[in-house]
Amino acid sequence: MFTKRRVLGGVAATIGLIMVATTASPAGAQPESQDAPQRGVYEVRGATAAPERTAVAGSGVDVLGVRDGGMTVVASPDQARGLRASGFALEQVGDFDAMLARRSGEARAAGVNDFPPGDEAYHNYAEMTAALRAAARDYPDLARMSSVGRSYEGRELHMLKISDNVAQDEDEPEVLFTCNQHAREHLTTEMCLHIVDRFTSEYAGDPAVRQLVDSREIWIIPQVNPDGSEYDIAGGQYKGWRKNRQGRGTDPNRNWGYRWGCCGGSSGYPSSQTYRGPSPFSAPETRAVADFVGSRVVGGSQQIAAHIDFHTFSELVLWPYGYTYADTAPGMNAEQARRFQDIGRQMARTNGYTPQQSSDLYITDGSVNDWMWAEHGILSYTFEMYPRSGGIGGFYPPASVIPRETARNDDAVDILLRAAG
Ligand SMILES: [Zn+2]
């Protein structure tokens, strides 16, 4: 345990320095765009406490992963200089664009939105849609397809419901799984599709699966951000894209409506990777999912009891709140915090991830978990999937790991489904 007061003092100084570094440009100018050339991938050392990591994230760099006190970030030369001036040690481990190009291999024909050769097992939007249609067609008594709305570019935000008597709204605890809020985190789409496959194709043969499907209503949204996801693979070249495709892109996971933009855990600059948007739920994608969740309030009571939002990477199980370092806060008493911790740790024991409160990493505001819990009392977790650490390539593990890394969460998913009772 660190002494919070001393660290906070040091961080105030750090933040001050970063403010100086980023406000030196003329009035009205924005910090350097993430679209700028010559972005480097860096390991940041010296950010060993959460307030220091919040300062690093708040400087506008693109945080790729956080592990064991180290951070991997993408930074422009100006941002790297600013962080060094603030006392952080940065070691460049690669060039962002070169690493992406190396990982992508030869470009596909322009206009072909698909994964690069070798990564065909990943599902693009059309393939994801087809997989959901196939599940609904092959298991009509168990699976039903719908949409929660449309993305900014007009794509359906497909959802699959899985339950026995799927056409009826039964009085059973409901659990929601969402994936791919962040475009480049393609392994999460596979995670949601794995859940679909498991709870349909194994229903007949696996008594544990059958028991869960019979006693729960399971909602699965494999791509919350299909526009960003398709853009990220356009032309068969990975782009390291995180946000949606509205203007310069809004970070969906800073756009949720609880304590939106409150606490230095998001950015007001459209060029930033953590741009929160001009107002809460300004992103059609978060608005649509939030409206769906709101529609599950039946007779004054929210039917969805539990939720996992899948991300990559760092191998973490995270729980709210993200906007404050405190374990308890309005809407989260000690007993509720303990329940989050207990179930989070139980799940983490099964997949080997590290369990912690989200803000133990750094402050985020406008995240899905804070909103789900504060507004709807939903036991809402974030899973940061494989790999444990890495550079920009951490978002693009080889397709060969998909079966192993999705099945790795089977027991954790079952624990949450049971806890929802
Ligand atoms: Zn993410």
Side-chain angles (χ1 to χ4, degrees):
M1 249 213 278
F2 59 82
T3 53
K4 280 190 177 170
R5 193 160 298 149
R6 184 182 61 76
V7 172
L8 282 168
V11 165
T14 302
I15 293 169
L17 279 165
I18 288 173
M19 300 280 281
V20 168
T22 56
T23 54
S25 44
Q30 293 177 353
E32 194 162 354
S33 166
Q34 289 284 340
D35 308 330
Q38 291 188 307
R39 291 171 293 179
V41 179
Y42 297 88
E43 297 289 340
V44 181
R45 306 230 159 67
T48 50
E52 291 165 341
R53 290 192 290 273
T54 298
V56 172
S59 73
V61 298
D62 181 5
V63 178
L64 305 183
V66 182
R67 271 299 331 172
D68 307 324
M71 297 177 87
T72 309
V73 306
V74 178
S76 67
D78 274 5
Q79 288 169 333
R81 263 192 299 278
L83 286 173
R84 285 188 172 119
S86 304
F88 295 104
L90 269 67
E91 183 195 340
Q92 183 160 2
V93 294
D95 174 82
F96 180 77
D97 293 311
M99 288 171 97
L100 279 175
R102 206 160 48 238
R103 180 64 187 82
S104 302
E106 232 168 273
R108 288 177 182 260
V112 176
N113 274 21
D114 209 350
F115 287 88
D119 285 346
E120 289 89 350
Y122 282 97
H123 290 71
N124 63 18
Y125 178 74
E127 292 162 346
M128 178 275 296
T129 303
L132 296 187
R133 287 214 175 99
R137 184 191 61 228
D138 296 347
Y139 303 94
D141 300 332
L142 295 179
R144 181 170 244 227
M145 194 168 166
S146 60
S147 161
V148 296
R150 284 179 182 270
S151 68
Y152 179 74
E153 292 178 345
R155 291 183 177 87
E156 292 287 355
L157 301 170
H158 296 301
M159 176 167 69
L160 201 76
K161 178 188 174 189
I162 298 177
S163 190
D164 64 333
N165 307 313
V166 69
Q168 296 169 36
D169 185 4
E170 295 188 295
D171 187 18
E172 295 171 342
E174 302 182 15
V175 177
L176 172 67
F177 299 101
T178 51
C179 293
N180 194 223
Q181 267 207 92
H182 288 145
R184 63 196 174 189
E185 300 171 12
H186 301 286
L187 184 60
T188 66
T189 300
E190 305 307 316
M191 183 67 230
C192 269
L193 291 175
H194 172 76
I195 293 172
V196 168
D197 180 56
R198 184 164 163 253
F199 287 107
T200 51
S201 70
E202 293 181 20
Y203 179 84
D206 185 335
V209 164
R210 191 160 58 244
Q211 193 260 325
L212 288 170
V213 171
D214 286 351
S215 62
R216 300 286 181 272
E217 293 179 305
I218 304 169
W219 304 98
I220 302 152
I221 306 176
Q223 289 193 343
V224 171
N225 179 12
D227 299 351
S229 187
E230 287 286 284
Y231 174 73
D232 192 54
I233 57 172
Q237 290 283 301
Y238 291 131
K239 291 164 198 68
W241 187 259
R242 167 183 170 95
K243 301 188 286 181
N244 78 355
R245 294 294 294 161
Q246 189 175 14
R248 301 185 71 179
T250 293
D251 182 347
N253 208 27
R254 301 295 186 276
N255 187 242
W256 294 77
Y258 184 71
R259 306 226 55 188
W260 175 84
C262 71
C263 301
S266 60
S267 173
Y269 292 108
S271 62
S272 167
Q273 290 294 325
T274 54
Y275 177 51
R276 66 180 81 97
S279 57
F281 295 122
S282 55
E285 298 85 3
T286 57
R287 175 82 268 165
V289 177
D291 285 349
F292 163 68
V293 171
S295 79
R296 296 315 299 150
V297 176
V298 179
S301 119
Q302 173 56 254
Q303 303 299 296
I304 299 172
H307 167 236
I308 298 175
D309 190 43
F310 288 96
H311 290 253
T312 62
F313 57 92
S314 288
E315 300 189 358
L316 304 166
V317 171
L318 305 174
W319 54 81
Y321 287 124
Y323 80 87
T324 173
Y325 296 119
D327 295 355
T328 61
M332 176 81 78
N333 65 30
E335 190 187 331
Q336 292 163 331
R338 217 162 21 243
R339 182 155 183 257
F340 266 110
Q341 292 162 20
D342 285 348
I343 295 169
R345 285 174 187 143
Q346 266 182 56
M347 292 193 290
R349 270 197 292 277
T350 68
N351 59 15
Y353 292 6
T354 300
Q356 55 192 344
Q357 187 175 335
S358 172
S359 57
D360 290 346
L361 295 177
Y362 50 85
I363 292 289
T364 55
D365 48 41
S367 78
V368 64
N369 299 137
D370 284 10
W371 183 84
M372 289 274 182
W373 173 251
E375 297 292 335
H376 287 282
I378 295 169
L379 201 63
S380 177
Y381 290 89
T382 284
F383 278 28
E384 295 280 359
M385 294 176 67
Y386 176 89
R388 201 175 165 81
S389 61
I392 189 68
F395 294 114
Y396 305 105
S400 58
V401 311
I402 293 172
R404 183 191 74 206
E405 293 301 328
T406 54
R408 183 175 175 179
N409 288 319
D410 287 350
D411 290 346
V413 162
D414 291 357
I415 285 171
L416 195 76
L417 284 164
R418 285 194 203 99

